[in-house]
Amino acid sequence: MALDTQKIIDDLKDASILELNDLVKAIEEEFDVKAAAPVAAAGAAGGDAAAEKDSFDVELTEAGQEKVKVIKEVRGITGLGLKDSKDLVDGAPKVIKEGVAKADADEMKTKLEAVGATVTLK
């Protein structure tokens, strides 16, 4: 039996996501296989992503001597109210922003360190 490859491809293009999902499940059951990405390729991609991290968490490690100025900076960075900002600064070490771009994280770190805080980028 010869397969009509182009017809199969055309049928797949016209199928809905649910139909494709059902097809994958049926193939897995019929042939006792799993549709999964190769682990080696995923591992290599993960290594590159770790080397070139593009999002950072900005952690206030210590408030320092100028706590009032640090609270003001934290308010400006986070948009939190005065009480929430004070609680965050008092509870240091705490993450004040998550998933921030490198340039933005460096800017936040510079602002906070300028008023005496200790900041760590993770």
Side-chain angles (χ1 to χ4, degrees):
M1 176 178 153
L3 291 176
D4 185 358
T5 307
Q6 190 57 46
K7 182 178 180 329
I8 294 171
I9 291 172
D10 290 339
D11 288 344
L12 291 174
K13 285 181 182 177
D14 294 334
S16 71
I17 298 295
L18 291 175
E19 291 171 326
L20 293 173
N21 188 39
D22 291 342
L23 174 65
V24 170
K25 287 179 182 177
I27 291 171
E28 287 176 341
E29 288 175 13
E30 180 68 29
F31 298 104
D32 194 30
V33 295
K34 283 288 180 196
V39 175
D48 292 343
E52 297 178 23
K53 188 172 180 178
D54 61 352
S55 68
F56 295 85
D57 295 343
V58 180
E59 180 184 75
L60 177 66
T61 309
E62 189 177 317
Q65 298 296 319
E66 301 286 335
K67 191 186 263 187
V68 173
K69 291 180 182 178
V70 174
I71 292 170
K72 287 181 182 181
E73 281 300 327
V74 168
R75 280 187 73 194
I77 290 169
T78 62
L80 294 172
L82 181 61
K83 182 181 181 334
D84 292 334
S85 296
K86 181 182 180 307
D87 291 345
L88 195 147
V89 171
D90 287 341
K94 289 245 178 155
V95 174
I96 59 173
K97 276 284 198 177
E98 294 179 340
V100 181
K102 173 79 170 138
D104 293 336
D106 286 336
E107 181 182 340
M108 290 175 202
K109 181 178 180 179
T110 302
K111 286 180 179 180
L112 288 164
E113 287 178 343
V115 294
T118 305
V119 179
T120 305
L121 299 181
K122 294 184 175 185

